[in-house]
Every structure is written in structure tokens, then in C-alpha cells.
Amino acid sequence: MKHSIHEQVLAACFAAVIAIFAQVTIPLGFVPLTLQTFIVGVVASLLGSKVGTWSVGIYLLLGAIGLPVFAGGASGIGVLFGPTGGYLLSFLLAAFVIGKIIELTNESFWAVLLANSVGTLLSLLIGTIWLQFAVHITFGQAFTQGFLPFILAGVIKTIASTLVARLLYGRLPKKLVPILSQN
């Protein structure tokens, strides 16, 4: 996959933004409540499937090599294989799907809301399944600990990421919002 210098810089800058938002954390057992899903939705809604996914990939790579960018300043490859690893890795798929849905439809409120809803649901499902295996619990226990407590927050973050992305569409130059130049 070839990326222009402009796309690489955008992806790196937005990876830093994801790292900053990841530090807003409320501990809730195995899986903390963070603003990562919110900002991944915004990033993918602005950058599209290609650059948005690349941005998330850079963020994950930074954390894997030891920079304290994951929730609560965590870092290292062990985090990606721990209880929250499924949520983190699911951000790659979520960013791709969010960006692709918007690219295939448009950047209307309803398209962006649908895209972010699907992305949030994917993250919760993949993270919950991963949690089950990472901590050796039943799916019911994983669902109770890794999905149910995050439904309301997921709905709020989905709506917020949609509103923020839509607001930024009209305020950022098209050069900084690749999704606008694709539709």
C-alpha cells in the first residue's frame, strides 16, 4: 500500500490525537471506559478507509514498541495480547469500515452515524470475544463485563463522533479531510 507524504503526515498526526484521547480513562474492571472509540470514529470519518486505518495502525505500532499511548499510559506488545487487546486491534477494522461506508455513501449525518454505529459495534463485539479468551471466562461473563457496561457510552460516543466529524467537514480545509475529496 503506497501513501503520499501528505497522507503519511495526516496519519501520523491523527495517531497522536488518538494517543491523547486514549488517556481519558475511567477504570471499570478488565476494560476501562476511554475516549479511544470516539476519536477512532472521528479519525476514520475524516480520513477515510485508507488513511484512517493507517493512522490507527501507527497508533497501535507506537504502543506495541513501548510508547505509553494506550489507555492510562499503558504500552507494550503485552497490552495487545491482554484483556483489552481485542478492542485495540478491532480499531483497525472499525476505522476501515467507517471510512469505507462513508466513501461508498456520502458524508451526510445519517451515513456518518451509520458508519460510526457499525464501527462501535464491531469494536465491542471483537473486544468482547477477545476478552473471553484472554481472561478465560465464558462468553456470558465477557458480555456482561466487556459489552453491556459500554452500550450507553458507545451510543453517546457514536453520536458525538458523528457530530464532531460533521462539524469538522465544514471547518477544515478539504486537503486535511480526505473523505471530502473522495465523494
Side-chain angles (χ1 to χ4, degrees):
M1 183 174 354
K2 188 173 180 177
H3 296 282
S4 71
I5 295 293
H6 175 73
E7 290 171 329
Q8 291 175 35
V9 170
L10 274 177
C13 289
F14 278 93
V17 171
I18 296 169
I20 292 166
F21 275 78
Q23 303 317 306
V24 180
T25 304
I26 300 171
L28 294 176
F30 288 120
V31 182
L33 178 64
T34 73
L35 288 184
Q36 287 167 306
T37 47
F38 159 75
I39 201 62
V40 166
V42 173
V43 167
S45 295
L46 295 175
L47 302 183
S49 62
K50 184 173 117 177
V51 182
T53 303
W54 182 238
S55 183
V56 171
I58 292 169
Y59 164 72
L60 294 174
L61 180 63
L62 292 173
I65 64 171
L67 294 175
V69 297
F70 296 143
S75 66
I77 195 103
V79 175
L80 295 177
F81 290 101
T84 60
Y87 299 95
L88 290 168
L89 294 170
S90 75
F91 294 158
L92 285 167
L93 179 61
F96 179 79
V97 169
I98 291 167
K100 190 52 81 176
I101 289 172
I102 296 169
E103 290 164 7
L104 293 173
T105 57
N106 57 53
E107 61 279 343
S108 72
F109 174 83
W110 297 110
V112 177
L113 181 64
L114 171 67
N116 279 284
S117 298
V118 172
T120 298
L121 185 59
L122 281 172
S123 292
L124 283 173
L125 284 173
I126 293 169
T128 299
I129 293 167
W130 185 284
L131 178 65
Q132 174 190 1
F133 294 106
V135 296
H136 309 289
I137 57 179
T138 67
F139 182 76
Q141 292 169 318
F143 188 79
T144 301
Q145 294 179 32
F147 192 98
L148 285 179
F150 302 99
I151 292 173
L152 179 58
V155 169
I156 292 168
K157 289 188 280 186
T158 296
I159 294 168
S161 61
T162 299
L163 292 172
V164 168
R166 295 273 305 137
L167 179 71
L168 291 175
Y169 287 158
R171 295 201 167 40
L172 292 176
K174 284 192 176 193
K175 260 186 168 178
L176 291 177
V177 186
I179 201 86
L180 293 178
S181 62
Q182 294 174 10
N183 287 328

